Amino acid sequence: MAKRIGHDCAALADLPARSGAAAARGAGARRAALPLLFFLAVAMLYPFAVGPDARLLSRTGAGVIWVAALLAAILPLDRLVEPDVEAGLFDQWALRGLSEEVLLMVRIVAHWISFGVPLLLAAPLAAGLLSLDGGQLAMVEWGLLLGTPGLAAIGVTIAALTAGLRAGAALGGLLAIPLTVPLLIFGAGSLQPGGEGGLGLLAACSLVALAVAPFAGAAAIRATRE
């Protein structure tokens, strides 16, 4: 029994590593870099669209960063869950006694590491491009730290719901955007005057998403098996 538990724990620990290794090979490495490149491209192009007015950029920059973070989070939706469903890996894990809820929670962590951590590291560069000062940058970093786990949870849930569907990637984007609106509002609003309380609301929304996502996604995966 102890041997089986140890084997299952090793399998769980291997999931994020397996996802990272897949992303590091060939075209996977290029696709894994797309969210970060997209995030930086939006921050770089926005000043060209609205002009060099530093006050305007500072006032609107938070919203731009959060829209870019949202779009970066949903770019890889088509490869979060569907490849493993098609390969029958969830069936194999179920036979070994690993619940879909636990597997999806691990997948949420892996997704957050793959896009959330790079965005946190790239935020100072984006803030510089958008003329945000040090205080605003600190709020952006706190907001991304609290909000990107919720974006990851919603992304994995949508990926599970659309796994196996034709044009699932496009449908996933349409489903994810309205669900992430509260995170977007509170994240961008936290940088507005008197918006410090937005971080608390952002954290609450993120926690709700993290609590619901594994169960909703697991139900979707079990439905595809029936």
Side-chain angles (χ1 to χ4, degrees):
M1 181 68 178
K3 183 177 180 180
R4 179 179 176 182
I5 292 174
H7 186 66
D8 290 345
C9 290
L12 281 175
D14 185 58
L15 282 177
R18 192 175 65 82
S19 299
R25 291 194 298 266
R30 293 189 293 272
R31 294 186 67 184
L34 283 178
L36 176 60
L37 295 176
F38 185 86
F39 177 78
L40 291 175
V42 171
M44 182 177 64
L45 292 175
Y46 182 70
F48 290 101
V50 301
D53 187 341
R55 286 195 296 179
L56 175 62
L57 291 173
S58 178
R59 190 169 63 251
T60 60
V64 173
I65 286 177
W66 271 96
V67 170
L70 164 61
L71 296 177
I74 65 176
L75 276 178
L77 286 185
D78 60 327
R79 65 179 189 274
L80 291 178
V81 175
E82 186 172 6
D84 288 345
V85 171
E86 292 180 347
L89 294 179
F90 279 98
D91 296 332
Q92 297 177 29
W93 288 323
L95 291 174
R96 293 164 61 178
L98 295 175
S99 69
E100 287 84 357
E101 289 83 359
V102 173
L103 294 169
L104 284 176
M105 195 66 221
V106 174
R107 187 54 53 86
I108 289 169
V109 172
H111 180 38
W112 180 78
I113 291 173
S114 70
F115 93 93
V117 173
L119 294 195
L120 286 168
L121 296 176
L125 179 57
L129 293 169
L130 297 170
S131 300
L132 301 183
D133 59 32
Q136 289 175 311
L137 172 59
M139 293 293 287
V140 167
E141 292 281 14
W142 276 110
L144 290 176
L145 181 63
L146 295 172
T148 48
L151 292 177
I154 293 172
V156 171
T157 302
I158 298 299
L161 289 170
T162 58
L165 297 180
R166 184 173 299 176
L171 179 60
L174 293 176
L175 291 174
I177 288 175
L179 292 176
T180 55
V181 165
L183 295 171
L184 183 67
I185 291 173
F186 296 134
S190 65
L191 271 80
Q192 301 304 315
E196 293 79 5
L199 287 179
L201 295 171
L202 176 64
C205 290
S206 194
L207 285 174
V208 170
L210 287 169
V212 173
F215 300 98
I221 289 175
R222 283 192 287 267
T224 63
R225 193 181 297 136
E226 296 174 355

